[in-house]
Amino acid sequence: MLGLITGFALVVTADAEDHPLSPTVMFDIPKQSLVTALQAYSAASGVAVLYESGVETGQYSAPVRGDLTREAALRELLGNTNIIVRYARSDAVTLQTQPPSIPTRLLKAFVAPRMWPWTYFM
């Protein structure tokens, strides 16, 4: 299920660095629940924001104030969340949670089940 602010994107093609800087927009978004902040961002910037349901759960935005590019404002709004931005078009983004680091995934793959009174690695 996708949480949808506005618009729809089928293919994620590039990162923000691949797009020319957009004109600046005046933002005044206080710290609030991430879903509410993303709605305010979309309304102010004209950028469609798409994300999988649950990405925003329990997350809060950082405040965004000032005359900023759309890209800079979104980076600031997401602050220290574990969310990464992918640009489908210059006016549409998708948000995803950052996957776990490689060491964590490797550790989980190599930890054996507790079949004996002790834990061992294979």
Side-chain angles (χ1 to χ4, degrees), residues 41-80:
Y41 169 81
S42 184
S45 67
V47 173
V49 180
L50 296 95
Y51 54 90
E52 189 174 339
S53 180
V55 167
E56 80 291 353
T57 304
Q59 304 249 25
Y60 288 88
S61 71
V64 178
R65 289 190 174 81
D67 197 24
L68 303 164
T69 65
R70 297 180 301 176
E71 297 84 2
L74 186 55
R75 277 194 307 272
E76 194 171 315
L77 181 122
L78 293 174
N80 291 326

